[in-house]
């Protein structure tokens, strides 16, 4: 499956419905997204043929499903915009300049293909820059007739000319969605290479609809439940089919970017989807939500799960270094007063290879977890920080002291490694088992020494601490809890092999948290990801859904 996520950075979407110029469009039609991707590709000085191939693959796929929240239309006001004054800069002049730029671009492409000398290419680049430089036209106000300059003002302000310019009436319909992101899902799986090419296009996309609808866009690995699916429905959305790219190129030859344009499309009926009723309502903890997954490059898959906290802290530090101050609470995990946040916030979860008979517990990658309750400001702050990091580092690297360098890359589309796919960590299940040990929020007492009665009470308190951890993230009380130091999943490392985990306690004094493995069973299906305990934002207490037969006592 190919999944593209679009985030509206201003919280609004400005676009006109194709059949009513006074009404907004919602959700954004697939043809509009495709057109924006084509424009992003074509705006490059040297369009990449691989990106064209990826766009041609995309246009040949069946219409995508869409996930979009409800949106509130904004009242529409009429604006009067002065039309361009051809006496200041004529259409003919504009066309001549555009034609010269096209000729130069063609000469540069031909020169590069022939292997022309560097001196010739430099000369052509200089000519191209001069044609694109309009500063002289703008600054040469002394050559503009005063009467013409006055007439450019709305309604011919202070003008005695009978040829008074009038404003062009414009409306800008917009909506404010409850969730400022929309997700498009195609059922077909592109190759990993094609997915990366499409992601590069998405990253360069800056707007969707009107120029004020600023967006960030990317390919994601999530598989969310759609709200609109192609089928027998009442909504007609503009979609695409094979030949859409060629049709857009044909339209551009007609309007050249300065005449009335038409968006070619194929009408497709969509129906809205309502959640299916189930006998038991599926429970979602506060830790459920979206993952941004970073895969360790093959040579870096040598770190054991016992280094989870160390890797998580290094990743958190790298993201913070590229974030803009002041960081919102949902990203930093602390309030403006410096106190730990009491709300769900972004976590850093190294992902170990566990659950398979050949698993060895190595860390294969890491997820940056964004809970469903995360506010938009914090979510966008994270995406900007990761984007800035990617713009200055390839591959992304973390320095782990004497352990060496860890190299990684962001996953685009579905990962070939099951461990790095969100699905296995979030599928509904009654039984969940820890892949990394849980840091108990309260000290249960001595679990391995003392009298039998004292040890029994300590183990009971440990079980109660796990139960409290479940309630703390919005889960019901488990029907059954099993506590142990040993690993309960193939490949998982025993709790005593992990370094001591310390947190700031009363008065700022570090407090060591007891680490244990656990298996918890609920009376109704629970979806993940589930992360329990005091170290849940740094990779401890990561749970995996299992069937009864999948656990082991070793």
């Amino acid at each position: 499956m190919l999944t593209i996520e679009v985030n509206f950075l201003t919280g609004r979407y400005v676009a006109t419905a194709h059949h009513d110029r006074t009404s907004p469009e919602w959700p954004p039609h697939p043809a509009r997204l495709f057109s924006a991707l084509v424009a992003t590709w074509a705006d490059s000085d040297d369009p990449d043929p691989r990106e064209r191939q990826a766009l041609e693959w995309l246009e040949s796929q069946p219409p995508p499903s869409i996930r979009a929240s409800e949106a509130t239309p904004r009242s529409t006001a009429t604006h009067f915009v002065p039309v361009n004054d051809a006496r200041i800069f004529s259409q003919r002049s504009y066309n001549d300049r555009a034609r010269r730029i096209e000729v130069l671009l063609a000469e540069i492409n031909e020169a590069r293909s022939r292997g022309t000398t560097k001196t010739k290419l430099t000369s052509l680049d200089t000519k191209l820059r001069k044609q694109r430089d309009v500063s002289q036209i703008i600054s040469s106000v002394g050559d503009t007739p005063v009467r013409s300059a006055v007439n450019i003002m709305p309604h011919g302000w202070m003008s005695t000319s009978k040829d008074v310019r009038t404003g062009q009436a414009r409306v800008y319909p917009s909506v404010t969605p409850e969730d400022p992101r929309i997700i498009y899902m195609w059922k077909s799986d592109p190759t990993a290479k094609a997915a990366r090419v499409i992601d590069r296009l998405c990253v360069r996309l800056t707007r969707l609809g009107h120029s004020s609808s600023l967006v960030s866009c990317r390919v994601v690995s999530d598989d969310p439940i759609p709200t609109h699916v192609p089928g027998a429905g009442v909504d007609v959305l503009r979609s695409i089919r094979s030949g859409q790219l060629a049709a857009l190129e044909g339209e551009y030859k007609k309007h050249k970017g300065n005449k009335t344009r038409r968006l070619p499309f194929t009408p497709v009926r969509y129906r809205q989807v309502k959640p299916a009723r189930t006998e038991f309502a599926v429970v979602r903890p506060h830790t459920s939500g979206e993952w941004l997954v970073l895969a360790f490059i093959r040579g870096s898959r040598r770190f054991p799960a016992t280094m989870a906290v160390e890797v998580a802290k290094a990743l958190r530090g790298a993201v913070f270094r590229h974030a803009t101050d002041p960081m919102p609470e949902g990203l930093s995990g602390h309030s403006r007063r410096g106190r730990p946040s009491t709300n769900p916030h972004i976590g850093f979860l190294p992902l170990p290879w566990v659950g398979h008979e050949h698993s060895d517990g190595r860390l294969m990658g890491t997820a940056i977890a964004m809970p469903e309750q995360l506010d938009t400001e914090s979510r966008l702050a994270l995406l900007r920080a990761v984007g800035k990091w990617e713009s200055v580092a390839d591959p992304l690297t973390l320095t782990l002291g004497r352990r060496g360098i860890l190299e990684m890359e962001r996953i685009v589309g579905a990962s070939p490694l099951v461990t790095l796919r969100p699905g296995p960590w979030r599928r509904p299940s009654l039984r969940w088992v820890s892949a990394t040990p849980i840091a108990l929020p309260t000290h249960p007492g001595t679990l391995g020494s003392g009298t039998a009665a004292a040890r029994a009470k300590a183990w009971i308190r440990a079980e109660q601490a796990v139960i409290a951890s479940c309630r703390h993230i919005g889960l019901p009380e488990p029907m059954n809890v099993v506590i142990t130091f040993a690993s309960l999943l193939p490949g998982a490392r025993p709790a005593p092999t992990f370094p001591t985990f310390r947190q700031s306690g009363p008065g700022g004094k570090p407090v060591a948290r007891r680490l244990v493995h656990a298996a918890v069973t609920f009376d109704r299906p629970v979806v993940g990801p589930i992360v329990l305990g005091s170290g849940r934002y740094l990779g401890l207490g990561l749970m995996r859904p299992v069937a009864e037969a999948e656990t082991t006592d070793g």
Side-chain angles (χ1 to χ4, degrees), residues 191-531:
T191 64
K193 184 177 181 180
R196 286 193 293 269
V197 171
I198 294 174
D199 185 62
R200 287 200 298 268
L201 266 176
C202 291
V203 168
R204 302 205 306 272
L205 182 64
T206 58
R207 70 180 180 94
L208 185 63
H210 190 264
S211 58
S212 62
S213 291
L214 303 178
V215 300
S216 67
C217 182
R218 63 192 179 115
V219 173
V220 297
S221 57
D222 281 358
D223 183 14
I225 299 174
T227 57
H228 299 72
V229 296
V234 297
D235 298 328
V236 178
L237 273 58
R238 293 177 293 173
S239 191
I240 59 176
R241 62 181 177 183
S242 294
Q244 181 79 1
L245 176 53
L248 287 169
E249 290 176 321
E251 286 296 317
Y252 181 78
K253 290 179 180 179
K254 297 176 184 177
H255 63 70
K256 291 292 186 181
N258 54 55
K259 296 180 182 178
T260 302
R261 60 199 68 185
R262 182 184 69 87
L263 175 62
F265 67 91
T266 299
V268 174
R269 288 192 175 274
Y270 275 75
R271 61 182 176 87
Q272 296 192 31
V273 180
K274 295 182 179 180
R277 295 183 178 180
T278 56
E279 183 179 357
F280 292 104
V282 175
V283 180
R284 294 182 180 275
H286 300 330
T287 53
S288 69
E290 179 188 359
W291 276 8
L292 191 156
V293 180
L294 304 173
F296 295 164
I297 294 174
R298 186 176 296 275
S300 293
R301 298 174 193 166
R302 63 183 187 277
F303 299 101
T306 53
M307 289 186 61
V309 173
E310 186 176 349
V311 171
K313 288 182 177 179
L315 176 60
R316 182 183 63 179
V319 171
F320 285 6
R321 284 193 296 274
H322 292 90
T324 302
D325 286 328
M327 283 187 290
E329 182 176 330
L331 175 57
S332 68
H334 289 81
S335 67
R336 294 296 174 88
R337 297 182 178 180
R339 297 176 180 175
S341 176
T342 57
N343 299 315
H345 54 84
I346 291 170
F348 301 87
L349 311 176
L351 303 175
W353 182 25
V354 296
H356 187 272
E357 60 178 335
H358 300 299
S359 297
D360 59 11
R362 284 179 298 159
L363 298 177
M364 308 302 286
T366 184
I368 302 179
M370 294 172 275
E372 290 180 349
Q373 298 180 16
L374 187 68
D375 61 283
T376 301
E377 180 187 5
S378 300
R379 188 174 181 280
L380 293 179
L382 170 67
L383 297 179
R384 292 191 189 101
V386 174
K388 183 178 179 181
W389 188 14
E390 288 182 319
S391 70
V392 297
D394 184 21
L396 304 178
T397 60
L398 298 176
T399 302
L400 302 176
R402 291 179 296 177
R403 300 274 192 172
I405 301 294
L406 190 157
E407 296 182 331
M408 55 192 178
E409 60 184 357
R410 180 166 57 89
I411 289 290
V412 176
S415 170
L417 301 177
V418 175
T419 297
L420 302 185
R421 298 175 189 170
W425 299 93
R426 65 172 50 155
R427 64 178 173 85
S429 178
L430 298 174
R431 185 173 173 82
W432 292 78
V433 177
S434 56
T436 55
I438 300 169
L440 299 179
T442 56
H443 199 285
T446 303
L447 298 174
S449 60
T451 65
R455 290 199 307 272
K457 291 180 180 179
W459 284 101
I460 291 174
R461 286 192 290 267
E463 292 178 7
Q464 292 172 341
V466 171
I467 293 172
S469 296
C470 290
R471 290 198 299 261
H472 187 71
I473 63 170
L475 292 176
E477 185 170 315
M479 294 174 55
N480 184 53
V481 177
V482 176
I483 302 292
T484 178
F485 288 136
S487 57
L488 294 170
L489 284 173
R493 300 298 177 93
T497 64
F498 282 73
T500 302
F501 180 70
R502 291 183 171 86
Q503 278 188 318
S504 179
K509 184 179 179 180
V511 176
R513 301 297 186 189
R514 170 68 72 181
L515 300 180
V516 297
H517 276 293
V520 293
T521 304
F522 300 95
D523 64 352
R524 69 198 74 174
V526 174
V527 299
I530 295 179
V531 198

Side-chain angles (χ1 to χ4, degrees), residues 126-187:
T126 300
K127 291 179 181 179
L128 181 62
R129 283 197 301 271
K130 287 182 178 179
Q131 288 299 321
R132 286 175 166 171
D133 184 9
V134 296
S135 59
Q136 186 175 1
I137 298 174
I138 298 171
S139 61
S140 299
V141 293
D143 298 333
T144 303
V146 174
R147 188 169 182 175
S148 295
V150 169
N151 285 338
I152 203 171
M153 302 299 292
H155 308 294
W157 179 71
M158 290 183 63
S159 173
T160 58
S161 171
K162 295 181 181 180
D163 184 21
V164 177
R165 298 177 65 241
T166 58
Q168 176 73 41
R170 299 277 179 84
V171 292
Y172 302 99
S174 70
V175 296
T176 302
E178 294 177 2
D179 185 351
R181 56 180 159 166
I182 183 168
I183 301 173
Y184 301 84
M185 294 157 279
W186 286 265
K187 291 183 178 179

